[in-house]
């Protein structure tokens, strides 16, 4: 005869209760997908969640933001015109080359002056010069950076992205920048594509078009910089990851420009893309926990701020003077 302890009743699915933290998190996820929340507010909400509640799915956060950002960028391509994009890319080409080379050189110099670990310094410089977290993710395996080095570089970049997303539109309106000027400034001076699109989208439709096009053209510089990195760090074995979603973004623009049927539905696609971008920024904020903020350290943050201020001020002066 069996006792009750020998065959305990199986737990039903209902017994697997959802925690309060998960309920709060999912509420904010749904809220970010609504038109009520702007990208800067979404980022702020994410930061609040990270500091006071905690991300219930932190182990999935990086992958989720990576996928959502790519989906958002491709979706925004359906709201853009090829001819306008080519003009925007042409305007920003010279500034892009000068700013990338200048930022990398200055970044390496500051790293040596501040005595920052060489790989951390190079990752921060690369992230600032090209496209933030995407550049760091692509270059880190090429130079064989460890988890600590990657997290410090990413933390530095994400902190400054959060600030840029809020203050850039304010500065743009204060200086009466045109949408074309502001979009170009965002694309060059803000690190991550997500924050570039968030800030430019708040400023205006044309600003968004210019910023996205120039930023994604800038992101292609990951390839030559990664190749250069293999020689600097003497590692010729690692394969370089090419950002394939940029090709999909270009195809989306072409379809929106030349296929009338696509144009009839493009506003629905871009609306969805803007919602997923807002959610992406919320998740990025959720990932900036106290642990991440503390891990950055003083010197890498000084390097990141100095680089960011130089590229922001220098680019702004050039844009106002030349465009």
């Amino acid at each position: 005869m069996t006792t009750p302890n020998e065959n305990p009743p199986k737990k039903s699915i209902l017994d697997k209760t959802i925690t309060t933290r998960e309920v709060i998190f999912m509420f904010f996820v749904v809220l970010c997908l609504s038109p009520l929340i702007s990208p800067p507010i979404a980022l702020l909400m994410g930061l609040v969640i990270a500091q006071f509640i905690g991300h219930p799915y932190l182990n999935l956060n990086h992958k989720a933001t990576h996928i959502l950002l790519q989906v958002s960028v491709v979706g925004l391509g359906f709201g853009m015109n090829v001819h306008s994009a080519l003009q925007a890319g042409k305007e920003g080409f010279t500034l892009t080359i000068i700013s990338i080379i200048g930022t990398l050189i200055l970044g390496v110099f500051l790293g040596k002056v501040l005595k920052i670990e060489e790989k951390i310094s190079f990752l921060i410089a690369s992230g600032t010069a090209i496209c933030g977290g995407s550049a760091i993710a692509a270059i880190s395996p090429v130079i064989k950076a460890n988890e600590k080095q990657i997290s410090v570089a990413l933390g530095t970049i994400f902190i400054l992205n959060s600030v840029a997303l809020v203050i850039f539109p304010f500065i743009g309106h204060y200086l009466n920048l045109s949408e074309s000027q502001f979009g170009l400034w965002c694309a060059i001076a803000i690190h991550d594509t997500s924050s570039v699109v968030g800030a430019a989208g708040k400023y205006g439709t044309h600003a968004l078009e210019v910023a996205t096009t120039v930023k994604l053209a800038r992101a292609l510089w990951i390839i030559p910089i990664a190749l250069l990195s293999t020689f600097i760090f003497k590692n010729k074995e690692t394969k370089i990851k090419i950002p394939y979603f940029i090709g999909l973004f270009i195809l989306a623009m072409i379809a929106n420009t030349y296929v009338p049927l696509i144009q009839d539905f493009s506003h629905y696609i871009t609306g969805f893309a803007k919602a997923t971008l807002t959610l992406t920024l919320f998740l990025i904020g959720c990932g900036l926990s106290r642990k991440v903020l503390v891990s950055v350290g003083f010197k890498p943050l000084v390097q990141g701020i100095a680089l960011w201020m130089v590229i922001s001020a220098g680019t702004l002066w050039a844009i106002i003077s030349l465009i």
Side-chain angles (χ1 to χ4, degrees), residues 40-303:
I41 296 298
L43 181 65
L44 179 61
M45 291 193 308
L47 287 168
V48 171
I49 291 286
Q51 307 312 312
F52 299 103
I53 299 173
H55 195 329
Y57 310 107
L58 190 58
N59 60 317
L60 301 174
N61 199 62
H62 177 70
K63 187 172 183 180
T65 54
H66 180 70
I67 294 171
L68 283 171
L69 175 59
Q70 293 184 350
V71 169
S72 302
V73 168
V74 174
L76 290 171
F78 285 98
M80 298 182 185
N81 183 279
V82 170
H83 308 294
S84 300
L86 287 173
Q87 181 61 34
K90 184 180 178 181
E91 288 178 355
F93 183 74
T94 304
L95 273 176
T96 293
I97 294 176
I98 294 171
S99 62
I100 288 174
I101 295 172
T103 302
L104 285 171
I105 293 172
L106 180 60
V108 171
F109 172 74
L110 285 173
K112 290 185 181 298
V113 170
L114 295 168
K115 296 180 180 178
I116 300 170
E117 197 173 333
E118 186 180 16
K119 290 183 179 180
I120 293 176
S121 173
F122 189 79
L123 287 176
I124 292 173
S126 301
T128 306
I130 309 171
C131 55
S134 300
I136 292 171
I139 292 172
S140 55
V142 175
I143 66 173
K144 294 186 177 179
N146 61 38
E147 188 176 343
K148 171 70 175 178
Q149 293 163 338
I150 296 168
S151 65
V152 169
L154 286 173
T156 303
I157 294 300
F158 286 153
I159 290 169
L160 298 179
N161 269 332
S162 304
V163 176
L165 182 62
V166 176
I167 69 170
F168 265 56
F170 173 79
I171 294 173
H173 286 300
Y174 180 78
L175 295 175
N176 293 316
L177 297 180
S178 68
E179 288 194 27
S180 180
Q181 289 176 320
F182 184 79
L184 184 55
W185 185 41
C186 280
I188 295 175
I190 300 181
H191 312 76
D192 260 8
T193 305
S194 55
S195 292
V196 169
V197 174
K202 188 180 179 183
Y203 205 81
T205 304
H206 183 60
L208 175 63
E209 185 175 73
V210 172
T212 306
T213 305
V214 175
K215 190 63 179 179
L216 293 182
R218 190 182 184 88
L220 291 173
W221 280 82
I222 288 175
I223 301 166
I225 298 303
L227 288 169
L228 177 65
S229 304
T230 62
F231 293 101
I232 294 174
F233 292 89
K234 296 179 175 61
N235 177 27
K236 299 180 181 179
E237 299 174 1
T238 309
K239 291 182 179 179
I240 298 165
K241 294 181 179 179
I242 301 171
Y244 294 107
F245 75 97
I246 296 176
L248 294 176
F249 168 80
I250 294 170
L251 289 176
M253 274 199 305
I254 293 171
N256 184 59
T257 305
Y258 298 109
V259 182
L261 181 63
I262 295 294
Q263 294 170 5
D264 294 337
F265 297 95
S266 60
H267 63 286
Y268 294 112
I269 302 172
T270 54
F272 174 77
K274 289 177 181 178
T276 55
L277 176 68
T278 302
L279 177 58
T280 302
L281 289 164
F282 169 71
L283 294 176
I284 288 172
C286 287
L288 289 174
S289 63
R290 286 190 191 93
K291 183 179 178 181
V292 171
L293 297 177
V294 170
S295 72
V296 170
F298 178 69
K299 288 183 178 181
L301 191 58
V302 168
Q303 181 198 18

Side-chain angles (χ1 to χ4, degrees), residues 2-23:
T2 59
T3 62
N5 290 333
E6 290 176 347
N7 293 299
K10 293 182 179 179
K11 289 185 178 181
S12 68
I13 295 175
L14 295 175
D15 291 330
K16 297 179 180 178
T17 55
I18 299 173
T19 65
T20 304
R21 184 172 63 165
E22 290 173 323
V23 171

